[in-house]
Amino acid sequence: MATIEELKAYGANTEAALSRLMGNETFYLALVPRIFEDKNFEVLSSAIAEGDLDKAFDAAHSLKGVLGNLELTPILQPMIEITELLRHRENVDYSPYLEEIFRQKEALEKIFEG
Amino acid sequence: MTNTVASLFKNGKRTILVADDEFINRAILSEMLQDEYDIITAENGEEAYDIIQSHSKTLSLILLDLIMPKMGGLELLSVIKNRNEYSGIPVIVLTTDQESEVVSLNTGASDFIPKPYPRQSVVKARIHRAIELSEDRQIISDTQNDVITGLYTGEYFYEYAEAYDKYHPDTDMDAVILGISNYNVLLERYGKEKCIQLLSMLANELRKQYLNEIAILCHKEMDLFFIYCHHTADHDEKLQEISHSIDCVISGVKLKMGIYKQVDKNLELRNRFVRARMAYNKLQDNYVNEVSVFDDEILKKILFEEQLCADFKTAISEEQFVVYFQPKFDITGNEPVIAGAEALVRWCHPELEMISPGLFIPLFESNGLIYELDDYVWHKTAAAIKDWRGRFDKKIPVSVNISRAEMYDPNLANRLINIVEENGIEISDLHLEITESAYVSDSSMIIDRVNNLRSKGFFIEMDDFGSGYSSLNMIGELPIDALKLDMLFIRSAFKNQNMKMLDIVIDIADCLEVPAIAEGVETEEQYLKLKESGCELIQGYYFSKPLPGDEFEGFLR
């Protein structure tokens, strides 16, 4: 079972997140793993692969909101960057951002698996 | 109409719809709000719309994510705001970027909450404020518009009319009151539902007719509508059109209209409608006219009546009311002989000089001052009889008028007996004139009361006979001691040379075995004809006009 300390060590701004969640640590720890079920991660990567930047933007934008609410900074940061690029439908190589996002997501999953 | 505010509470909690495709976002908002609100959640735009449709009466607020599958937040927002039944529900948009905030507000969102969400207290404060504003607006809309007609209710009507004046100070405006004649009777006859249909139809027609006049319309009371509009000369035509249109709901409904044209804007708004009502009130009991326009004559009359009422107490205490006496002559012998008198009141007003009783008696009858005035006149009359008894040999009875309103006083006989006793005269000295129309209005009660007066010994003269439409059937049962022929009846009989009717009326008196008294006799011709027909007593200018007591004494010497 993951702890607040582990999330903090991971890089999450747990203080801000807990302040949003009325200090309810159990609730926070229950919510975080729900992002692993979020289909928008898959939508984001497949839409970029297909070149559907509109769809990719919507997915990134949604994820940015969720990650922001949970203050998961390591994934949130690259997500903010990719969202801004997608917003302007920039024709750039998105793979470094995607790699970073999925790498950080896996790191987080490990905390919860451990 | 959207939700009434009362319908928004379920178990004391308001309901909020959270529409966001992200589970985590829904969970956070639910956690933040569930202690104060019932939360319903939706995962996409379509689901949210279904919930809005099925819960439209109970939703207090929608928290709406902009980017959702199936139907996006902005699209849903636009649908909600364009549907009358949902447009009153406030929507707060949940958004991560500022660009969408402006679009959302322009589409009809009340506010926005940024992502990541602020602290619980901030979220709650914004929600609380949005709900409060929306409910306040709803309460205003519920109370400003009448449920039946959708027109303004009274207080709001005045507010809007005043606001209109403020921005159009130089526009000529009319204040108009439109009412339905005998609405209570229609209610009894056709029932509530039909009458509501009538009111609602009338309101629609009013809207149509006054479309071009920039009118502010109000359903003021059950059967009364107020209209404040640009001046027009066409009120009559509009009334005809409206009358015609509502005829399909209830046929033959009569509408009346009181108009105060080109209002004086120095007057308070309410007072402008007081003037329209003065004009309107002139139509009461008037079955011919449908429209009455306020003018200075109406105002003068009302101000005059107000002054009379205000001056009444002083007039009594300063004895401005003077009792005059008009003699009645017995014409059965060769020479007319004085046989009685009628006491008639005059008001010697210090500023208005002599006021005719025709101007103040009906007024005092309507507001109840008549009781005090009658007491005063009866006292003065009894005192005069007493005084004459001591000084003259001739003993004649004097009649006083008992107004219709007096007939409803159960203590009437005692009041009269007290006056007789206080002045030391006989009951037979004081005759009572009761107008024929009093018998007609509430006949069995009045007949009982008159019987009671007669049993105490009072002599009853039926006044104004021929004007009150007594049925012949009824006359036989009436407790009376004399028939007094209506002055106008006599006048028209002579004018039209229709002596037959006069003969019939005198025959009726004969048949009842009571004397006929003719009043208003002005010429020798009238006198001779009445004598020939068998009329026993005559009163009128031919012999003498009503005189002050000291002058009247000449007849007693």
Side-chain angles (χ1 to χ4, degrees):
Chain A
M1 186 63 197
T3 62
I4 298 294
E5 281 66 36
E6 283 172 303
L7 286 178
K8 203 172 191 171
Y10 164 72
N13 184 352
T14 53
E15 223 164 275
L18 284 170
S19 136
R20 180 169 300 121
L21 304 176
M22 294 77 74
N24 189 338
E25 294 183 0
T26 319
F27 184 49
Y28 184 37
L29 291 172
L31 274 188
V32 173
R34 296 301 292 255
I35 70 156
F36 308 138
E37 298 159 22
D38 196 318
K39 293 195 173 64
N40 275 323
F41 285 103
E42 288 317 310
V43 174
L44 175 64
S45 81
S46 62
I48 284 174
E50 290 158 15
D52 186 345
L53 298 191
D54 292 349
K55 198 172 174 188
F57 170 73
D58 283 355
H61 190 263
S62 286
L63 286 167
K64 184 182 124 183
V66 179
L67 295 166
N69 275 333
L70 295 176
E71 301 288 350
L72 298 171
T73 319
I75 324 180
L76 175 62
Q77 212 45 53
M79 194 64 79
I80 292 173
E81 288 166 28
I82 202 171
T83 306
E84 288 318 299
L85 291 171
L86 287 167
R87 184 191 301 282
H88 303 106
R89 311 298 188 258
E90 299 285 359
N91 190 12
V92 294
D93 179 11
Y94 286 96
S95 55
Y97 298 98
L98 285 178
E99 276 164 29
E100 177 64 5
I101 286 165
F102 280 93
R103 203 169 59 79
Q104 290 297 347
K105 185 173 162 241
E106 273 164 39
L108 186 64
E109 282 184 68
K110 285 225 169 66
I111 297 174
F112 281 87
E113 282 163 9
Chain B
M1 277 280 289
T2 47
N3 316 339
T4 60
V5 170
S7 73
L8 297 171
F9 295 88
K10 202 181 97 193
N11 308 322
K13 276 182 169 181
R14 291 174 175 83
T15 305
I16 292 178
L17 168 64
V18 177
D20 195 315
D21 58 328
E22 292 288 354
F23 169 82
I24 291 167
N25 292 343
R26 298 196 300 271
I28 294 173
L29 286 172
S30 300
E31 185 69 17
M32 279 181 174
L33 303 172
Q34 66 187 2
D35 60 332
E36 260 186 64
Y37 300 94
D38 280 328
I39 307 295
I40 309 176
T41 58
E43 289 180 27
N44 59 57
E46 280 180 9
E47 193 188 340
Y49 190 52
D50 286 344
I51 292 170
I52 291 165
Q53 285 178 305
S54 57
H55 290 72
S56 68
K57 297 252 177 292
T58 51
L59 276 183
S60 283
L61 181 84
I62 300 166
L63 290 172
L64 184 65
D65 180 33
L66 285 188
I67 296 173
M68 286 189 294
K70 296 191 178 168
M71 186 196 273
L74 268 184
E75 189 189 344
L76 181 59
L77 178 61
S78 152
V79 170
I80 297 170
K81 291 300 161 188
N82 285 311
R83 292 287 297 269
N84 250 350
E85 55 270 52
Y86 314 135
S87 63
I89 308 172
V91 178
I92 293 181
V93 161
L94 308 164
T95 173
T96 41
D97 47 45
Q98 291 178 330
E99 276 174 41
S100 336
E101 289 163 5
V102 178
V103 183
S104 311
L105 292 174
N106 285 339
T107 314
S110 306
D111 199 359
F112 55 84
I113 289 176
K115 287 183 201 169
Y117 301 143
R119 277 177 297 126
Q120 183 193 33
S121 55
V122 176
V123 172
K124 276 190 168 175
R126 296 183 99 138
I127 287 175
H128 188 259
R129 197 178 128 75
I131 290 178
E132 190 178 58
L133 282 175
S134 144
E135 289 184 358
D136 285 353
R137 195 173 52 216
Q138 188 59 49
I139 289 169
I140 288 172
S141 131
D142 286 351
T143 43
Q144 80 171 4
N145 294 108
D146 172 55
V147 185
I148 297 171
T149 62
L151 303 180
Y152 289 132
T153 51
E155 286 308 308
Y156 283 91
F157 168 73
Y158 286 124
E159 289 290 328
Y160 283 107
E162 260 162 22
Y164 190 83
D165 274 354
K166 192 173 159 190
Y167 296 107
H168 305 83
D170 300 322
T171 308
D172 268 352
M173 301 295 286
D174 293 349
V176 181
I177 294 180
L178 183 146
I180 303 168
S181 280
N182 296 320
Y183 183 75
N184 284 323
V185 177
L186 298 179
L187 207 54
E188 285 293 328
R189 188 165 162 205
Y190 296 98
K192 195 175 159 192
E193 212 164 296
K194 197 86 178 162
C195 285
I196 285 179
Q197 212 183 324
L198 179 77
L199 292 174
S200 146
M201 178 84 166
L202 204 159
N204 281 338
E205 291 305 313
L206 264 180
R207 281 195 198 93
K208 261 192 235 165
Q209 288 299 323
Y210 282 92
L211 201 60
N212 298 325
E213 269 73 24
I214 320 256
I216 300 165
L217 304 172
C218 163
H219 184 203
K220 186 67 171 57
E221 284 157 33
M222 197 165 57
D223 55 348
L224 277 189
F225 293 82
F226 280 19
I227 302 154
Y228 191 60
C229 64
H230 281 199
H231 170 60
T232 168
D234 298 340
H235 293 296
D236 300 44
E237 286 160 37
K238 292 178 194 298
L239 186 71
Q240 295 310 322
E241 288 293 326
I242 295 168
S243 284
H244 184 72
S245 305
I246 60 167
D247 216 50
C248 66
V249 184
I250 299 176
S251 155
V253 171
K254 210 176 147 198
L255 300 178
K256 292 180 296 185
M257 197 179 242
I259 306 169
Y260 173 34
K261 280 185 178 164
Q262 291 163 299
V263 299
D264 175 358
K265 290 200 178 171
N266 294 317
L267 278 178
E268 265 187 48
L269 197 74
R270 275 160 212 275
N271 289 342
R272 296 174 212 163
F273 278 89
V274 167
R275 291 192 168 186
R277 198 186 280 259
M278 287 175 186
Y280 182 82
N281 286 346
K282 242 184 98 176
L283 297 167
Q284 302 290 47
D285 305 323
N286 179 330
Y287 297 98
V288 182
N289 295 330
E290 292 170 347
V291 176
S292 158
V293 179
F294 174 85
D295 57 23
D296 285 346
E297 283 305 307
I298 293 182
L299 184 63
K300 245 194 251 167
K301 179 168 183 271
I302 284 165
L303 293 177
F304 174 71
E305 289 181 345
E306 245 178 46
Q307 186 183 359
L308 296 190
C309 293
D311 294 348
F312 179 79
K313 292 273 174 221
T314 317
I316 291 280
S317 66
E318 291 181 358
E319 304 201 339
Q320 292 171 12
F321 290 107
V322 182
V323 180
Y324 276 48
F325 300 91
Q326 189 171 35
K328 293 172 186 168
F329 284 87
D330 182 338
I331 55 166
T332 50
N334 288 334
E335 290 295 319
V337 183
I338 182 139
E342 178 181 0
L344 296 159
V345 66
R346 298 285 183 270
W347 187 347
C348 298
H349 194 282
E351 293 157 33
L352 306 168
E353 300 181 345
M354 191 72 92
I355 307 170
S356 149
L359 294 175
F360 60 82
I361 297 281
L363 174 68
F364 294 159
E365 275 182 336
S366 70
N367 63 19
L369 290 176
I370 193 72
Y371 297 105
E372 211 175 323
L373 180 62
D374 277 347
D375 262 338
Y376 175 96
V377 173
W378 301 341
H379 260 290
K380 290 283 176 200
T381 305
I385 296 171
K386 169 75 178 166
D387 175 40
W388 295 332
R389 284 292 134 91
R391 295 193 287 129
F392 306 106
D393 292 336
K394 271 188 198 145
K395 288 186 168 62
I396 55 157
V398 181
S399 60
V400 291
N401 286 282
I402 309 291
S403 73
R404 200 178 331 184
E406 293 287 1
M407 301 309 293
Y408 293 92
D409 177 12
N411 199 34
L412 176 64
N414 287 336
R415 282 165 63 203
L416 287 162
I417 289 168
N418 283 344
I419 285 169
V420 166
E421 287 173 353
E422 275 171 36
N423 288 283
I425 59 172
E426 304 294 321
I427 284 183
S428 58
D429 293 333
L430 198 64
H431 288 192
L432 308 180
E433 295 195 15
I434 299 170
T435 182
E436 182 194 3
S437 59
Y439 288 88
V440 180
S441 52
D442 194 351
S443 50
S444 65
M445 192 276 284
I446 302 288
I447 289 171
D448 284 352
R449 198 138 289 165
V450 178
N451 271 326
N452 179 38
L453 288 168
R454 278 184 98 206
S455 72
K456 308 277 188 210
F458 284 105
F459 186 94
I460 309 293
E461 299 177 11
M462 184 196 259
D463 203 4
D464 309 315
F465 183 71
S467 68
Y469 314 106
S470 311
S471 71
L472 287 174
N473 183 20
M474 197 179 108
I475 286 171
E477 299 169 21
L478 294 182
I480 48 169
D481 301 296
L483 266 191
K484 210 168 171 191
L485 275 50
D486 184 44
M487 193 186 305
L488 293 174
F489 183 78
I490 292 178
R491 228 174 264 167
S492 80
F494 278 94
K495 194 176 156 206
N496 306 323
Q497 287 299 308
N498 186 358
M499 301 306 162
K500 195 101 188 149
M501 285 307 293
L502 202 60
D503 287 336
I504 290 173
V505 172
I506 291 168
D507 282 349
I508 290 174
D510 199 38
C511 187
L512 296 173
E513 298 175 340
V514 298
I517 308 170
E519 63 180 335
V521 178
E522 289 169 345
T523 64
E524 185 172 23
E525 182 204 1
Q526 291 171 354
Y527 157 61
L528 293 173
K529 165 64 193 155
L530 286 161
K531 185 177 164 72
E532 183 199 321
S533 299
C535 182
E536 291 173 36
L537 289 153
I538 273 186
Q539 175 186 341
Y541 275 57
Y542 176 63
F543 289 115
S544 169
K545 61 182 185 184
L547 298 168
D550 52 348
E551 289 181 41
F552 177 80
E553 286 172 9
F555 291 105
L556 300 175
R557 287 197 174 95

